[in-house]
Amino acid sequence: MAEPFSMLTSRPMPLIRDNVDTDQIIPSREMKSTGKTGLADGLFAGWRYTAIGSRDPDPNFVLNDPFYADSQIILAGANFGCGSSREHAVWALAEYGFRAVIAPSFAPIFAGNCIRNGILPAVLEADAIAIIEEVDCPATIDLAAQKISIGEDQSWSFPIDDEAKAMLLEGLDAIDLSLKMIEDIAAWQTADRAKRPWIYLGANQ
């Protein structure tokens, strides 16, 4: 289970580039295991380091700016997470410490992977993202209220479907979500067994 997501306040790290794909989020050469750990060092490796295979940080890349060292929010461009469906991209973001990405749009598979791994993909208009970037102060994300705010007088609503919202608020993955309905599933199976007993011939009684 992921850590539940309810309220988050953090200075957003601006990475306003359209069409950032999963190979840019974590290049395939950085995927040395099939697990969810050991990926943070490879996050944005093609931009983060001075050369392929190097671990010398490029001071011009925002991830290496000490000002954003504790950021848990990324401000991104349109179609973030496009390209291949590799879940490693989300695992790398999560292991590094990011809990939310705010962008005008996301690749659908990437957005789904975020939800399943405790990262909020919040859709916000580019104009609003530009304001948040310009103000450059901590932003607060209130998932329950579906609101992103800066300061005391600027806030924006963002959409999210009910299932995704519940998964994030409770820290659930798809299996956890199914198990919440285990009594309903069992009741359906009992009723179906009575209605269509031939389907269950040979099954454990």
Side-chain angles (χ1 to χ4, degrees):
M1 294 178 64
E3 181 182 348
F5 188 119
S6 56
M7 189 85 72
L8 173 66
T9 298
S10 172
R11 184 180 298 278
M13 185 193 81
L15 185 65
I16 314 296
R17 307 184 188 190
D18 291 343
N19 304 311
V20 172
D21 64 38
T22 52
D23 193 59
Q24 291 166 323
I25 296 172
I26 184 163
S28 57
R29 64 180 178 274
E30 300 291 340
M31 295 160 47
K32 299 179 173 63
S33 74
T34 57
K36 295 185 178 184
T37 59
L39 299 167
D41 283 349
L43 182 65
F44 298 119
W47 299 330
R48 180 179 175 184
Y49 303 115
T50 55
I52 292 176
S54 168
R55 285 297 187 259
D56 294 327
D58 182 344
N60 296 313
F61 184 57
V62 65
L63 196 70
N64 297 320
D65 187 337
F67 190 67
Y68 300 107
D70 298 321
S71 178
Q72 298 181 69
I73 302 170
I74 295 176
L75 293 179
N79 200 28
F80 191 83
C82 58
S84 74
S85 61
R86 68 182 63 163
E87 198 167 2
H88 290 71
V90 174
W91 295 345
L93 289 167
E95 186 180 33
Y96 191 85
F98 289 110
R99 295 299 315 274
V101 182
I102 303 172
S105 60
F106 294 89
I109 293 176
F110 176 85
N113 286 338
C114 282
I115 297 296
R116 287 188 289 274
N117 289 278
I119 293 178
L120 170 66
V123 174
L124 213 59
E125 294 290 338
D127 289 348
I129 292 173
I131 292 171
I132 296 172
E133 180 187 16
E134 182 178 1
V135 172
D136 199 15
C137 70
T140 296
I141 302 175
D142 183 343
L143 177 55
Q146 296 178 216
K147 183 178 293 185
I148 298 170
S149 58
I150 53 174
E152 297 181 356
D153 56 357
Q154 288 185 292
S155 65
W156 301 268
S157 297
F158 62 90
I160 187 170
D161 68 66
D162 290 342
E163 182 176 290
K165 183 176 180 178
M167 290 174 70
L168 286 167
L169 284 171
E170 298 180 49
L172 306 177
D173 62 19
I175 295 175
D176 296 323
L177 193 66
S178 297
L179 290 175
K180 286 190 67 176
M181 298 181 287
I182 193 67
E183 292 182 0
D184 292 336
I185 293 170
W188 182 91
Q189 288 177 324
T190 298
D192 190 58
R193 188 185 293 271
K195 184 186 299 183
R196 304 184 302 162
W198 61 90
I199 296 294
Y200 299 88
L201 292 176
N204 293 329
Q205 300 299 316

